[in-house]
Amino acid sequence: MTVPPVDNLIGSVLNGRYEIVARINGGGTAVVYRGIDRRLGRTVAIKVIHAALAGDPDYVNRFDREARAAANLSHPNIVAVFDQGMAGDRPYIVMEYVRGQSLRSIIASSAPLPPSLALTYAHEVAKAIAAAHESGVIHRDIKPENVLITNDGSVKVTDFGLAKITTAQTTTASQNVLMGTMSYIAPEIPQSGAATKASDIYSAGVVLYEMLTGKKPHVGEDLSQVLYKHVHEDIPPPSQALSGQARARIPNYVDALVTACTSRNDDHRPPDGRVLEAQIAKARRRLEAGTLDDADLVREFREGITPSEQTPVAPIRPASARVPKPAQPGVRKPANPSATKLERAAENRPKTAAAAKPSSPGGKPSDSRRKLPVIPLVAILASTLVVTGILGWVFIWSWTHVPPVDGMTEQVARTELAAVGLTVAVMQDYSETVPAGQVIRTVPQGESRVKKNSEITVYISKGPERYPMPTVIGLSEEEAKNAILSSHLAVGTISRDWSDTYPEGSVISASEAAGDQLKPNTVIDLSVSKGREPITIESQVGKAQEAATTALTDKGFQVSVTGEEYSVNIPVGSVVSQTPNEGTGHKGDIIELVISKGPRMIEVPGVYYMTRADATKVLTDAGFVVDAQVRNPIGIPLGLASGTEPRAGKFAPEGSTVVLIIV
């Protein structure tokens, strides 16, 4: 048995906030975990880059791009990104936790999907692409793995790790390494290295093809063959990949929509996500109306739409590039058409002398040697008072002390702090010693010297931090561990015991009762079922019925007497046979017994005057054992039977010995 490697991140808390509970899945660059945001009390998904890639700047930059691109998008069809940080030297992203499954798993289990369902999913994906495109973001990695279907049927697009903000040329090729998944990559990307909005449309078209057929349009022995086909071979209508009724149910306009989206000429595709969304909506309306043939819609899709948004977006000029150069003397700098209004105003503002020499009234220079007028005593006193007042305000009167409010209620604390000119910000925290609703502490703490009007953070007690023990009995070991960790508790020792009630691998008992209010990180010990305990079955054949029954029931078996049989060897009332007679069973299994009626009583046949051989045969056939004895009182041997013991007509047990008397 292969022992899985220990994941040291499970159970850890990132940045003092995000508790990693369980591993969801892992890919080539990162692992996704289910976690708990302790601050907000919600379940989140936490994506952490593999340790081996943490030192690779390309992958670290990709992580940063994903966080920034998705964080700027707010749309119900896009998985939200909440936060990012570092787990040691490994970057992580905190995302919305989606309860459901990927489109990949749905395709694997259910494709070909009905066109109505495929278009429904594709329509929601198109909405997400449209939102991204309108925010200037190209996803560049649309594929079934990055489309999540929630338990209530909602669709969410995730993984913006390859996303780029659109510029004049959004490239995806770096050092001849193509990013993205080959089965869904648009042909212009390997040709020019440039990705446009139409590149996302191509990938979405391939995904729609796969939903409708259950197959990828281009396959090969290696990725280079797949890539070659994307560049040089058209993707056929999805109906051609099916047969019979499945082929007939794909309308011609759905075929046309897929081939338009996957055209090798990006000018023939819908130019962006918003146009794709509108086209899929048209196809859905036709399908809902029961129309399977619509030549006008086919023509509209196949003719394509003039790509008004295909013109590359002008590159964003760095701020440093917009700094105006110093103008030459006597030369007026031409207006910069791309400059902002503020920049143009600054350029045209008249320059003043940096150090104009002040002149006295009338234009005469001031005489610094002129004597100052005599200052009256009153003026001196006034100046002294002003200076004293200013110094007093700066160093004494503008300051105050934080009154100690620990243990007070929130309202009383607010009153005390406001009385000395302080404002209040309230936070809540758990406390084992301070009752709920009272102040635990302040920051700055009581008696601290602070400026008036400073903001004082007051921490109000929520009482002791307690979490209910979840119900874990009957859950699988993994489910129980996740439930415990999600409840801010810790998993202790795992013992394994036999159980006749719970199947193997499920929890039999826990060290704390469900519903108990426990301190955080309370250790919970679990007992996990090994299944039913095997019991050795011992044969009871030949034993008296009562003794056999006692021996079997003491081991936990149930006993059923299924009949009686004659037996030559087993006494009356003893066990003749047992089913099963050996091996192992489990508590509660039924053991069947057959009880002996003893030997059958047989009438001794008459053999008088038969030859010895004939008499022996008759007695043997009757079921007796023959003991032939010669008793010839006259001394003349005749070789004939003169009788038996017991005599003829009497009954003797089957298998018993009958004496044959020969004269």
Side-chain angles (χ1 to χ4, degrees):
M1 182 179 67
T2 302
V3 179
V6 176
D7 193 327
N8 294 326
L9 282 180
I10 294 179
S12 63
V13 180
L14 306 181
N15 197 27
R17 176 174 180 177
Y18 303 109
E19 179 181 355
I20 294 184
V21 174
R23 182 183 177 121
I24 299 175
N25 57 48
T29 60
V31 180
V32 180
Y33 299 91
R34 178 166 57 84
I36 301 294
D37 181 346
R38 287 185 168 183
R39 185 177 301 170
L40 300 179
R42 64 182 174 187
T43 301
V44 294
I46 305 171
K47 186 175 184 179
V48 185
I49 196 170
H50 285 308
L53 301 177
D56 189 323
D58 288 341
Y59 288 104
V60 173
N61 289 339
R62 171 181 174 176
F63 244 61
D64 184 66
R65 283 199 306 272
E66 176 172 1
R68 292 176 184 276
N72 289 328
L73 302 175
S74 178
H75 192 272
N77 293 114
I78 296 176
V79 174
V81 169
F82 301 138
D83 198 1
Q84 67 177 141
M86 298 291 291
D89 60 349
R90 298 166 65 182
Y92 68 83
I93 301 172
V94 182
M95 303 177 292
E96 173 187 3
Y97 179 71
V98 179
R99 290 177 170 83
Q101 57 184 322
S102 70
L103 182 57
R104 165 63 64 213
S105 63
I106 291 177
I107 290 174
S109 62
S110 306
L113 302 183
S116 58
L117 181 58
L119 287 178
T120 298
Y121 289 156
H123 194 212
E124 300 302 300
V125 172
K127 292 178 182 178
I129 295 174
H133 287 179
E134 290 177 352
S135 296
V137 175
I138 298 173
H139 188 285
R140 303 199 307 167
D141 199 19
I142 298 294
K143 58 185 178 181
E145 288 81 357
N146 289 338
V147 178
L148 305 179
I149 314 299
T150 68
N151 291 336
D152 63 2
S154 300
V155 177
K156 290 182 177 287
V157 175
T158 187
D159 198 351
F160 281 76
L162 297 184
K164 278 284 192 180
I165 306 301
T166 53
T167 61
Q169 184 182 35
T170 301
T171 60
T172 60
S174 177
Q175 298 178 347
N176 297 323
V177 178
L178 290 168
M179 302 296 288
T181 304
M182 292 300 179
S183 295
Y184 307 90
I185 194 168
E188 63 269 13
I189 294 177
Q191 290 179 303
S192 66
T196 65
K197 297 174 183 178
S199 304
D200 282 348
I201 305 303
Y202 184 92
S203 301
V206 177
V207 171
L208 178 54
Y209 179 99
E210 192 172 356
M211 284 193 285
L212 291 167
T213 65
K215 306 170 186 177
K216 295 175 182 177
H218 291 321
V219 294
E221 295 181 359
D222 54 41
L223 294 179
S224 63
Q225 291 186 6
V226 176
L227 190 62
Y228 179 88
K229 290 182 178 180
H230 277 293
V231 174
H232 297 283
E233 296 180 12
D234 291 331
I235 292 178
S239 62
Q240 291 186 11
L242 303 175
S243 61
Q245 182 60 35
R247 179 174 186 173
R249 70 182 183 182
I250 296 183
N252 60 351
Y253 51 86
V254 174
D255 271 346
L257 176 63
V258 173
T259 55
C261 291
T262 58
S263 171
R264 288 187 291 132
N265 185 339
D266 56 2
D267 285 342
H268 295 167
R269 299 177 210 150
D272 60 23
R274 193 60 70 196
V275 176
L276 175 63
E277 177 190 350
Q279 290 190 351
I280 295 177
K282 287 183 181 180
R284 290 185 67 189
R285 287 194 293 270
R286 298 294 196 281
L287 193 61
E288 290 169 359
T291 303
L292 297 179
D293 190 337
D294 190 322
D296 292 337
L297 196 56
V298 169
R299 189 178 306 109
E300 177 183 335
F301 290 164
R302 285 181 176 170
E303 287 177 352
I305 298 176
T306 302
S308 60
E309 294 189 33
Q310 283 293 93
T311 304
V313 179
I316 299 172
R317 178 182 296 178
S320 59
R322 295 196 296 267
V323 176
K325 295 181 180 180
Q328 296 179 4
V331 178
R332 181 177 178 85
K333 184 178 178 182
N336 181 0
S338 64
T340 65
K341 291 182 178 180
L342 289 176
E343 289 170 339
R344 289 197 295 271
E347 291 171 2
N348 297 326
R349 185 179 298 124
K351 305 299 187 292
T352 59
K357 186 177 181 180
S359 60
S360 60
K364 295 181 180 181
S366 62
D367 185 357
S368 60
R369 294 171 296 177
R370 187 169 53 188
K371 294 181 181 180
L372 293 173
V374 178
I375 303 176
L377 179 61
V378 175
I380 295 174
L381 291 175
S383 299
T384 303
L385 290 173
V386 170
V387 171
T388 302
I390 293 173
L391 293 177
W393 173 256
V394 172
F395 295 104
I396 301 174
W397 301 315
S398 65
W399 291 79
T400 187
H401 286 81
V402 179
V405 296
D406 294 2
M408 297 180 182
T409 64
E410 178 183 340
Q411 188 57 50
V412 173
R414 284 181 178 274
T415 302
E416 291 288 323
L417 293 166
V420 294
L422 299 174
T423 61
V424 177
V426 174
M427 299 287 288
Q428 290 189 321
D429 202 354
Y430 293 103
S431 174
E432 294 290 327
T433 57
V434 179
Q438 295 183 8
V439 177
I440 305 171
R441 63 186 183 277
T442 60
V443 178
Q445 64 185 4
E447 304 295 351
S448 297
R449 188 167 180 265
V450 296
K451 281 272 193 179
K452 289 184 178 179
N453 296 319
S454 295
E455 183 178 81
I456 306 301
T457 303
V458 177
Y459 287 84
I460 304 298
S461 174
K462 295 194 292 184
E465 184 176 8
R466 295 292 184 270
Y467 297 98
M469 172 65 190
T471 300
V472 297
I473 295 176
L475 299 180
S476 69
E477 180 179 346
E478 187 64 25
E479 290 172 335
K481 288 180 178 178
N482 290 341
I484 290 170
L485 294 172
S486 297
S487 299
H488 301 272
L489 307 174
V491 178
T493 59
I494 307 293
S495 60
R496 304 190 184 277
D497 299 291
W498 302 110
S499 173
D500 296 312
T501 305
Y502 297 99
E504 182 178 359
S506 61
V507 175
I508 304 170
S509 63
S511 58
E512 301 289 345
D516 284 355
Q517 297 294 317
L518 306 174
K519 291 183 179 181
N521 298 315
T522 298
V523 175
I524 308 299
D525 298 328
L526 299 176
S527 176
V528 177
S529 172
K530 296 194 293 183
R532 300 175 69 189
E533 181 179 8
I535 305 173
T536 302
I537 299 173
E538 296 178 352
S539 175
Q540 304 297 317
V541 173
K543 295 183 180 179
Q545 177 181 348
E546 184 177 352
T549 300
T550 300
L552 292 171
T553 54
D554 285 349
K555 283 197 164 189
F557 297 115
Q558 298 184 56
V559 175
S560 173
V561 176
T562 58
E564 295 180 325
E565 291 181 359
Y566 289 108
S567 175
V568 174
N569 302 315
I570 306 299
V572 175
S574 296
V575 177
V576 175
S577 64
Q578 171 183 316
T579 305
N581 193 45
E582 59 184 10
T584 58
H586 300 94
K587 186 176 180 180
D589 288 355
I590 296 176
I591 307 296
E592 296 179 345
L593 301 179
V594 176
I595 307 302
S596 172
K597 296 194 295 184
R600 182 184 293 111
M601 299 302 291
I602 302 173
E603 184 179 358
V604 178
V607 294
Y608 185 70
Y609 257 58
M610 291 183 183
T611 64
R612 179 173 180 166
D614 290 343
T616 298
K617 185 176 185 307
V618 169
L619 293 171
T620 301
D621 290 347
F624 296 109
V625 176
V626 177
D627 179 15
Q629 297 181 9
V630 177
R631 298 177 185 177
N632 190 343
I634 60 175
I636 300 174
L638 300 177
L640 301 174
S642 64
T644 58
E645 294 177 352
R647 66 177 182 272
K650 294 291 185 178
F651 285 85
E654 180 183 11
S656 60
T657 300
V658 173
V659 176
L660 173 62
I661 301 172
I662 303 297
V663 296

